[in-house]
Amino acid sequence: MAYKVTETCISCGACAGECPVSCITSGDTTYVIETDQCISCGACAGICPVEAIEEE
């Protein structure tokens, strides 16, 4: 399953730097994961300081 960024995202960018396939980009208010490119590795969820990333 792909991961998604929830509204608790503080836009710190830690997840984008950790993603091995570079599918996380800065959105209007939060970071966004391109679910069709996500390989479900969980690296982003593990690095998020506010636990704003979860499985869909």
Side-chain angles (χ1 to χ4, degrees):
M1 294 185 87
Y3 283 77
K4 67 177 181 178
V5 180
T6 65
E7 64 215 21
T8 57
C9 174
I10 59 171
S11 296
C12 69
C15 58
E18 193 70 17
C19 182
V21 293
S22 301
C23 71
I24 304 174
T25 57
S26 179
D28 290 338
T29 57
T30 65
Y31 272 70
V32 178
I33 298 174
E34 298 295 329
T35 55
D36 60 330
Q37 297 175 14
C38 178
I39 60 172
S40 303
C41 68
C44 57
I47 196 92
C48 181
V50 294
E51 299 178 354
I53 302 173
E54 58 187 37
E55 285 186 287
E56 280 195 308

Coordinates of all heavy atoms in Angstrom, one line a residue:
M1 N 0.8 -1.2 0.0 CA 0.0 0.0 0.0 C 0.9 1.3 0.0 O 1.9 1.3 0.7 CB -0.9 0.0 1.3 CG -1.9 -1.1 1.3 SD -3.0 -0.8 2.8 CE -4.2 0.2 2.0
A2 N 0.4 2.2 -0.7 CA 1.1 3.5 -0.7 C 0.9 4.3 0.5 O 0.0 4.0 1.3 CB 0.6 4.3 -1.9
Y3 N 1.7 5.3 0.8 CA 1.6 6.1 1.9 C 1.0 7.4 1.6 O 1.0 7.8 0.4 CB 3.0 6.3 2.6 CG 3.5 5.1 3.4 CD1 4.0 4.0 2.7 CD2 3.4 5.2 4.8 CE1 4.4 2.9 3.5 CE2 3.9 4.1 5.5 CZ 4.3 3.0 4.8 OH 4.8 1.9 5.6
K4 N 0.4 8.1 2.6 CA -0.1 9.5 2.3 C 0.3 10.4 3.5 O 0.6 9.9 4.6 CB -1.7 9.4 2.2 CG -2.3 9.0 3.5 CD -3.8 9.1 3.4 CE -4.5 8.7 4.7 NZ -5.9 8.8 4.6
V5 N 0.3 11.7 3.2 CA 0.6 12.7 4.2 C -0.7 13.3 4.7 O -1.5 13.6 3.9 CB 1.5 13.8 3.5 CG1 1.8 14.9 4.6 CG2 2.7 13.3 2.9
T6 N -0.8 13.3 6.0 CA -2.0 13.8 6.6 C -1.9 15.3 6.9 O -0.8 15.9 6.8 CB -2.3 13.1 8.0 OG1 -1.3 13.4 8.9 CG2 -2.4 11.6 7.7
E7 N -2.9 15.9 7.4 CA -3.0 17.3 7.6 C -2.1 17.8 8.8 O -1.9 19.0 9.0 CB -4.4 17.8 7.9 CG -5.0 17.2 9.1 CD -6.5 16.9 9.0 OE1 -7.0 16.7 7.9 OE2 -7.1 16.7 10.0
T8 N -1.6 16.9 9.6 CA -0.7 17.3 10.7 C 0.7 17.6 10.2 O 1.6 17.9 11.0 CB -0.6 16.2 11.8 OG1 -0.2 14.9 11.2 CG2 -2.0 16.0 12.4
C9 N 1.0 17.5 8.9 CA 2.3 17.8 8.3 C 2.7 19.2 8.6 O 1.9 20.1 8.5 CB 2.2 17.5 6.8 SG 3.7 18.0 5.8
I10 N 4.0 19.4 9.0 CA 4.5 20.7 9.3 C 5.4 21.2 8.2 O 6.1 22.2 8.3 CB 5.2 20.7 10.7 CG1 6.4 19.7 10.7 CG2 4.2 20.5 11.8 CD1 7.3 19.8 11.9
S11 N 5.4 20.5 7.1 CA 6.2 20.9 5.9 C 7.7 21.1 6.2 O 8.3 22.0 5.7 CB 5.6 22.2 5.3 OG 4.3 22.0 4.8
C12 N 8.2 20.2 6.9 CA 9.7 20.3 7.3 C 10.5 19.8 6.1 O 11.7 20.1 6.0 CB 10.0 19.5 8.6 SG 9.8 17.8 8.5
G13 N 10.0 18.9 5.3 CA 10.7 18.3 4.2 C 11.6 17.1 4.4 O 12.2 16.6 3.5
A14 N 11.6 16.6 5.7 CA 12.4 15.5 6.0 C 12.0 14.3 5.2 O 12.9 13.5 4.7 CB 12.3 15.1 7.5
C15 N 10.7 14.1 4.9 CA 10.3 12.9 4.2 C 10.8 12.9 2.7 O 11.2 11.9 2.2 CB 8.8 12.9 4.2 SG 7.9 14.3 3.6
A16 N 10.7 14.1 2.1 CA 11.2 14.2 0.7 C 12.6 13.8 0.6 O 13.0 13.2 -0.4 CB 10.9 15.6 0.2
G17 N 13.5 14.2 1.5 CA 14.9 13.9 1.5 C 15.1 12.4 1.7 O 16.2 11.9 1.2
E18 N 14.2 11.7 2.3 CA 14.4 10.3 2.7 C 13.9 9.4 1.6 O 14.3 8.2 1.5 CB 13.7 10.0 4.0 CG 14.0 8.7 4.7 CD 15.5 8.6 5.2 OE1 16.1 9.7 5.4 OE2 15.9 7.5 5.4
C19 N 13.0 9.8 0.8 CA 12.3 9.0 -0.2 C 13.3 8.5 -1.3 O 13.9 9.3 -2.0 CB 11.2 9.7 -0.9 SG 10.3 8.7 -2.1
P20 N 13.5 7.2 -1.4 CA 14.4 6.6 -2.4 C 14.0 6.8 -3.9 O 14.8 6.6 -4.8 CB 14.5 5.1 -2.0 CG 13.2 4.8 -1.4 CD 12.8 6.1 -0.7
V21 N 12.7 7.0 -4.1 CA 12.2 7.2 -5.5 C 11.7 8.6 -5.8 O 11.1 8.9 -6.8 CB 11.1 6.2 -5.8 CG1 11.6 4.7 -5.8 CG2 9.9 6.3 -4.9
S22 N 12.0 9.5 -4.9 CA 11.7 11.0 -5.1 C 10.3 11.2 -5.5 O 10.0 12.0 -6.4 CB 12.7 11.6 -6.1 OG 14.0 11.4 -5.7
C23 N 9.3 10.6 -4.8 CA 7.9 10.8 -5.1 C 7.2 11.7 -4.2 O 6.0 11.8 -4.2 CB 7.2 9.4 -5.2 SG 6.9 8.6 -3.7
I24 N 7.9 12.4 -3.3 CA 7.3 13.4 -2.4 C 7.7 14.8 -2.8 O 8.9 15.1 -2.9 CB 7.8 13.0 -0.9 CG1 7.5 11.6 -0.6 CG2 7.1 14.0 0.0 CD1 8.0 11.1 0.7
T25 N 6.7 15.6 -2.9 CA 6.9 17.0 -3.3 C 6.2 18.0 -2.4 O 5.3 17.5 -1.7 CB 6.5 17.3 -4.7 OG1 5.1 16.9 -4.9 CG2 7.3 16.5 -5.7
S26 N 6.6 19.2 -2.4 CA 5.9 20.2 -1.6 C 4.6 20.6 -2.2 O 4.6 21.0 -3.4 CB 6.9 21.4 -1.4 OG 6.2 22.4 -0.7
G27 N 3.5 20.5 -1.4 CA 2.2 21.0 -1.9 C 1.9 22.3 -1.4 O 2.8 23.1 -0.9
D28 N 0.6 22.7 -1.5 CA 0.2 24.1 -1.1 C 0.4 24.2 0.5 O 0.9 25.2 0.9 CB -1.2 24.3 -1.4 CG -1.4 24.5 -2.9 OD1 -0.4 24.8 -3.6 OD2 -2.5 24.3 -3.4
T29 N -0.1 23.3 1.2 CA 0.0 23.4 2.7 C 0.8 22.2 3.3 O 1.2 22.4 4.5 CB -1.4 23.4 3.3 OG1 -2.2 22.3 2.9 CG2 -2.2 24.7 2.9
T30 N 0.9 21.1 2.7 CA 1.6 20.0 3.2 C 2.4 19.3 2.1 O 2.2 19.7 0.9 CB 0.7 18.9 3.7 OG1 -0.1 18.4 2.7 CG2 -0.2 19.4 4.8
Y31 N 3.3 18.4 2.4 CA 4.0 17.6 1.4 C 3.0 16.6 0.8 O 2.0 16.2 1.5 CB 5.2 17.0 1.9 CG 6.4 17.9 1.8 CD1 6.5 19.0 2.6 CD2 7.4 17.7 0.9 CE1 7.6 19.9 2.5 CE2 8.5 18.5 0.8 CZ 8.6 19.6 1.6 OH 9.7 20.5 1.5
V32 N 3.2 16.2 -0.4 CA 2.3 15.3 -1.1 C 3.1 14.1 -1.7 O 4.2 14.3 -2.2 CB 1.7 16.0 -2.3 CG1 0.8 15.1 -3.1 CG2 0.9 17.2 -1.8
I33 N 2.6 12.9 -1.5 CA 3.2 11.7 -2.0 C 2.5 11.3 -3.3 O 1.2 11.1 -3.3 CB 3.2 10.5 -1.0 CG1 3.9 10.9 0.3 CG2 3.7 9.2 -1.6 CD1 3.8 9.9 1.4
E34 N 3.2 11.1 -4.4 CA 2.6 10.6 -5.6 C 2.4 9.1 -5.4 O 3.3 8.3 -5.6 CB 3.5 10.9 -6.8 CG 3.8 12.3 -7.1 CD 2.5 13.1 -7.5 OE1 1.6 12.5 -8.1 OE2 2.4 14.3 -7.1
T35 N 1.2 8.7 -5.2 CA 0.9 7.3 -4.8 C 1.2 6.3 -5.9 O 1.5 5.2 -5.6 CB -0.6 7.1 -4.3 OG1 -1.5 7.6 -5.4 CG2 -0.8 7.9 -3.0
D36 N 1.1 6.7 -7.2 CA 1.4 5.8 -8.2 C 2.9 5.5 -8.4 O 3.3 4.6 -9.0 CB 0.8 6.3 -9.6 CG 1.4 7.6 -10.0 OD1 1.7 8.5 -9.1 OD2 1.5 7.9 -11.2
Q37 N 3.7 6.3 -7.8 CA 5.2 6.1 -7.8 C 5.7 5.6 -6.5 O 6.9 5.1 -6.4 CB 5.9 7.5 -8.1 CG 5.6 8.0 -9.4 CD 6.2 9.4 -9.6 OE1 7.1 9.8 -8.8 NE2 5.7 10.1 -10.6
C38 N 4.9 5.6 -5.4 CA 5.4 5.2 -4.1 C 5.6 3.7 -4.1 O 4.8 2.9 -4.6 CB 4.3 5.5 -3.1 SG 4.6 5.0 -1.4
I39 N 6.7 3.2 -3.5 CA 7.1 1.8 -3.5 C 6.8 1.2 -2.1 O 7.1 0.1 -1.8 CB 8.5 1.6 -3.9 CG1 9.5 2.3 -2.9 CG2 8.8 1.9 -5.3 CD1 11.0 1.9 -3.1
S40 N 6.1 2.0 -1.2 CA 5.6 1.5 0.1 C 6.8 1.0 1.0 O 6.6 0.1 1.7 CB 4.6 0.4 -0.1 OG 3.5 0.8 -0.8
C41 N 7.9 1.7 0.9 CA 9.0 1.3 1.7 C 8.9 1.8 3.2 O 9.5 1.2 4.1 CB 10.3 1.8 1.1 SG 10.6 3.6 1.2
G42 N 8.2 2.8 3.4 CA 8.0 3.4 4.8 C 9.1 4.3 5.3 O 9.0 4.7 6.4
A43 N 10.1 4.6 4.5 CA 11.2 5.4 4.9 C 10.7 6.8 5.3 O 11.1 7.3 6.3 CB 12.2 5.5 3.8
C44 N 9.7 7.3 4.6 CA 9.2 8.6 4.9 C 8.4 8.6 6.3 O 8.6 9.6 7.1 CB 8.2 9.1 3.8 SG 6.8 8.0 3.5
A45 N 7.7 7.6 6.5 CA 6.9 7.5 7.8 C 7.9 7.4 9.0 O 7.7 8.0 10.0 CB 6.0 6.4 7.8
G46 N 9.0 6.7 8.8 CA 10.0 6.5 9.8 C 10.7 7.8 10.2 O 11.2 7.9 11.3
I47 N 10.8 8.7 9.3 CA 11.6 9.9 9.5 C 10.7 11.1 10.0 O 11.2 12.1 10.5 CB 12.5 10.3 8.3 CG1 13.6 11.3 8.6 CG2 11.6 10.9 7.2 CD1 14.9 10.7 9.0
C48 N 9.5 11.1 9.7 CA 8.6 12.2 10.0 C 8.5 12.5 11.5 O 8.1 11.6 12.3 CB 7.1 11.9 9.5 SG 6.0 13.3 9.8
P49 N 8.9 13.7 11.9 CA 8.9 14.1 13.3 C 7.6 14.2 14.0 O 7.5 14.2 15.2 CB 9.7 15.4 13.3 CG 9.4 16.0 12.0 CD 9.3 14.8 11.1
V50 N 6.5 14.4 13.2 CA 5.2 14.5 13.8 C 4.2 13.4 13.4 O 3.0 13.5 13.6 CB 4.5 15.9 13.4 CG1 5.3 17.1 14.0 CG2 4.4 16.1 11.9
E51 N 4.8 12.3 12.9 CA 4.0 11.1 12.5 C 2.8 11.5 11.6 O 1.7 11.0 11.7 CB 3.6 10.4 13.7 CG 4.7 9.9 14.5 CD 4.3 9.2 15.8 OE1 3.1 9.1 16.1 OE2 5.2 8.7 16.5
A52 N 3.1 12.3 10.6 CA 2.0 12.8 9.7 C 1.9 11.9 8.4 O 1.0 12.2 7.6 CB 2.3 14.2 9.2
I53 N 2.7 10.8 8.3 CA 2.6 10.0 7.2 C 2.1 8.6 7.6 O 2.6 8.0 8.6 CB 4.0 9.9 6.5 CG1 4.4 11.2 6.1 CG2 3.9 8.9 5.3 CD1 5.8 11.3 5.5
E54 N 1.1 8.1 6.9 CA 0.5 6.8 7.2 C 0.1 6.1 5.9 O 0.1 6.6 4.8 CB -0.8 7.0 8.1 CG -1.8 7.9 7.4 CD -3.0 8.2 8.3 OE1 -2.8 8.4 9.5 OE2 -4.1 8.3 7.8
E55 N -0.1 4.8 6.1 CA -0.5 3.9 4.9 C -1.9 4.2 4.5 O -2.7 4.5 5.4 CB -0.4 2.4 5.3 CG 1.1 1.9 5.3 CD 1.1 0.4 5.5 OE1 0.8 0.0 6.7 OE2 1.4 -0.3 4.6
E56 N -2.1 4.2 3.2 CA -3.5 4.4 2.7 C -4.3 3.2 2.9 O -3.9 2.1 3.0 CB -3.5 4.8 1.2 CG -3.1 6.2 1.0 CD -3.4 6.6 -0.4 OE1 -3.0 6.0 -1.4 OE2 -4.0 7.7 -0.5

